[in-house]
Amino acid sequence: MSQYRLTLIRGDGIGPEVTQAARIVLDATGIDFEWMVVDAGAEVMEKSGTPLPADVVEAVRTSDAAIKGPITTPAGSGIRSVNVALRQALDLYANVRPARSLRGVRSRYDHIDVVVVRENTEDLYSGIEFEKHSPKAVEAIEMLMRLSGKKIFPGSGLAVKPISSEASERIARFAFEYARCNARRKVTAVHKANILKHTDGLFLEAARQVAAEYPDIEFEDRIVDNLCMQLVQKPEVFDVLVLPNLYGDIVSDLTAGLVGGLGVAPGANIGDRNAIFEAIHGSAPRYAGQNKVNPSALILSGALLLRYLGEQEAAGRVEQAVADVIAAGQKVTYDLAPAGVAPVGTRQMAEAIAAKVAA
Ligand code: NAD
C-alpha cells in the first residue's frame, strides 16, 4: 500500500505543466505516493455545470494532502473563484507563503527569509459586496447612515470587512505554532488598528492574547503601511508575519518580489484537517502548453507538502535540489537563465531537479 494518498488538481493555463513537474520531483524522493488526478475550473464547468465538482472537494477531503495548479478566474464572467471556493469548502484558514532568497535568482536582496501567514477566510474577501444603486445597496446605505450617523454617497458600492475574535485567534495560534515547529524566533502581527479599531483592533488584541501563551517566541506588531516601508528598507528584522486576509495577499506579493518574483514563490492553504499546496502565481494563460514557465514555485510548494506530512528529510532534499539547479544556472527556464545560457523547458528543469533529489 502507498504511504500517502495525494490529490493532484491540474488547474488550467500553465497548471497541467507545473503540476506534472511537481509530481516528477515528489516521486523522485522515493516516497510511495498514490495520486488522484482531478480537474476543476472553467473547462470543467462546460462539462459538469460547475467549476468545482463535489468529487474534487471530496478527493481533497479524503487524501493526506493536495497539490494544485493555478485556475483561471475569468474576469467579469460571473464564475466564482474556484480557489476561494475550495478554501471555504475545506475551511483552509491559514495561507502560508514563505519567501527565501535563492542564489541564482535575480533580485535586489540576497538574505531574505520571511514567512507570511495570512488569514484566509474573512476580511474584505468574505464576498459580501453590494453593487451601487442596487436595492440592497440602497437599503444597506440607509441602515448604515442611521446606525453610524455618517454620510455615505448614494452612488457608493459597499464591501463588508468582517473580522472575528475566533478567526483572528486561530490564525494567530497557527502563526505561533508554525514559529515554534519551524524554529523561528519572532511573530509580527500586522494591522491598521489605529484607524480600524473594531476590526483590525480586534485582530491585534487576539494576537496579543495568543502571544502571551508563547513566551519562547518574541512578539511585536506593525501598522501595515509602516511594515511595507520597513520590509523594503530592512527586511532582515522580520521573521513570521501574521496578517488579516487583504493585507496578507498584498504583503505576500511584496515579499515574493523581494526574493525575485512569482516563479519561485510557494504557498500552502492549511486547515485543521486538510491542506492544499499551490504556487502564488496564476495560470499565466499566454504561456500555456509551451513547456516554458518556471516550475520552481510549485516544486517548492511540494516541499512544503512534504513538511506538512512530516517528511522533513525529503523536503530538505527537494529545497536543496531546487537551490542547486538554480544556482548552477544551466538547466533553468527563461526567467532564470543567465546571459548567454540557453533556457530549458519546464519539464527539463523539473527533471534536472528530480535527478538531484533522487541522487
Ligand atoms: P499570473 O501569475 O498568471 O501571471 C502574471 C505573469 O507572471 C505572467 O505573465 C508571467 O510573466 C509571470 N509568471 C507567472 N507564473 C510564472 C512562472 N511559473 N514562471 C515564469 N513566469 C511566471 O497572474 P495573472 O495574469 O494576474 O492571472 C492569470 C489568471 O490566473 C487569472 O485568471 C487569475 O484569476 C488566476 N490566478 C489563479 C491563482 C490560483 O489558482 N491560486 C492565483 C493567482 C491568479
Side-chain angles (χ1 to χ4, degrees):
M1 215 178 89
S2 305
Q3 278 172 276
Y4 301 104
R5 227 166 100 105
L6 297 186
T7 297
L8 185 151
I9 305 172
R10 293 193 306 166
D12 52 35
I14 59 170
E17 297 159 65
V18 291
T19 49
Q20 182 58 23
R23 181 174 174 170
I24 291 171
V25 173
L26 286 174
D27 281 335
T29 59
I31 300 170
D32 187 12
F33 294 113
E34 178 190 344
W35 295 93
M36 303 256 302
V37 180
V38 293
D39 285 313
E43 281 175 31
V44 175
M45 171 96 183
E46 284 163 24
K47 285 187 228 131
S48 29
T50 165
L52 182 58
D55 60 325
V56 173
V57 179
E58 204 42 38
V60 179
R61 207 190 295 282
T62 55
S63 49
D64 293 300
I67 191 148
K68 174 182 162 298
I71 295 177
T72 307
T73 306
S77 68
I79 294 186
R80 219 174 131 222
S81 162
V82 171
N83 307 309
V84 175
L86 259 175
R87 289 168 204 163
Q88 286 175 349
L90 296 162
D91 199 19
L92 306 178
Y93 60 85
N95 184 204
V96 182
R97 295 178 164 186
R100 183 183 284 171
S101 302
L102 289 169
R103 201 158 58 83
V105 178
R106 279 183 289 275
S107 162
R108 290 176 179 271
Y109 301 85
D110 50 14
H111 287 101
I112 304 289
D113 186 6
V114 184
V115 181
V116 170
V117 175
R118 162 190 173 196
E119 204 289 324
N120 227 358
T121 64
E122 53 180 22
D123 194 357
L124 281 164
Y125 286 57
S126 62
I128 310 171
E129 267 198 288
F130 300 106
E131 193 179 354
K132 73 167 181 177
H133 298 315
S134 67
K136 286 182 182 168
V138 171
E139 189 181 333
I141 287 172
E142 273 170 21
M143 183 188 71
L144 290 170
M145 286 189 8
R146 180 164 47 77
L147 293 177
S148 68
K150 307 246 177 252
K151 176 158 177 59
I152 303 173
F153 282 114
S156 302
L158 297 175
V160 181
K161 174 184 164 96
I163 300 265
S164 67
S165 321
E166 293 85 346
S168 303
E169 229 180 276
R170 103 178 150 165
I171 196 66
R173 184 156 285 111
F174 182 98
F176 278 96
E177 284 296 323
Y178 181 95
R180 200 176 255 176
C181 295
N182 292 278
R184 317 284 311 203
R185 69 196 147 81
K186 180 166 78 172
V187 171
T188 305
V190 183
H191 59 86
K192 190 80 189 172
N194 51 331
I195 306 292
L196 298 161
K197 297 190 190 313
H198 299 305
T199 47
D200 287 19
L202 186 154
F203 178 86
L204 175 59
E205 187 47 39
R208 281 190 177 134
Q209 278 171 13
V210 172
E213 297 170 29
Y214 293 83
D216 50 320
I217 313 277
E218 196 187 326
F219 174 71
E220 62 175 15
D221 71 277
R222 287 282 192 287
I223 294 175
V224 62
D225 35 1
N226 180 24
L227 172 90
C228 288
M229 186 188 69
Q230 292 196 1
L231 267 176
V232 172
Q233 286 190 326
K234 42 181 180 173
E236 67 284 355
V237 305
F238 297 106
D239 192 353
V240 176
L241 306 174
V242 61
L243 314 88
N245 208 338
L246 176 65
Y247 310 144
D249 196 7
I250 297 167
V251 168
S252 59
D253 263 40
L254 194 164
T255 53
L258 295 178
V259 296
L262 292 174
V264 291
N269 295 293
I270 303 178
D272 288 334
R273 279 175 294 281
N274 302 108
I276 298 180
F277 296 81
E278 63 179 335
I280 296 183
H281 66 70
S283 56
R286 72 189 163 109
Y287 291 113
Q290 295 179 26
N291 188 35
K292 182 161 181 183
V293 296
N294 185 351
S296 303
L298 198 63
I299 293 172
L300 290 171
S301 306
L304 297 179
L305 181 153
L306 291 168
R307 291 200 186 282
Y308 172 80
L309 295 177
E311 298 287 350
Q312 307 298 343
E313 185 276 331
R317 258 190 294 147
V318 170
E319 285 164 352
Q320 194 58 50
V322 172
D324 289 349
V325 167
I326 292 177
Q330 295 304 308
K331 298 259 171 75
V332 293
T333 46
Y334 75 98
D335 54 321
L336 297 175
V341 175
V344 301
T346 308
R347 189 174 179 103
Q348 290 66 38
M349 183 170 176
E351 284 169 352
I353 294 168
K356 283 197 181 290
V357 168

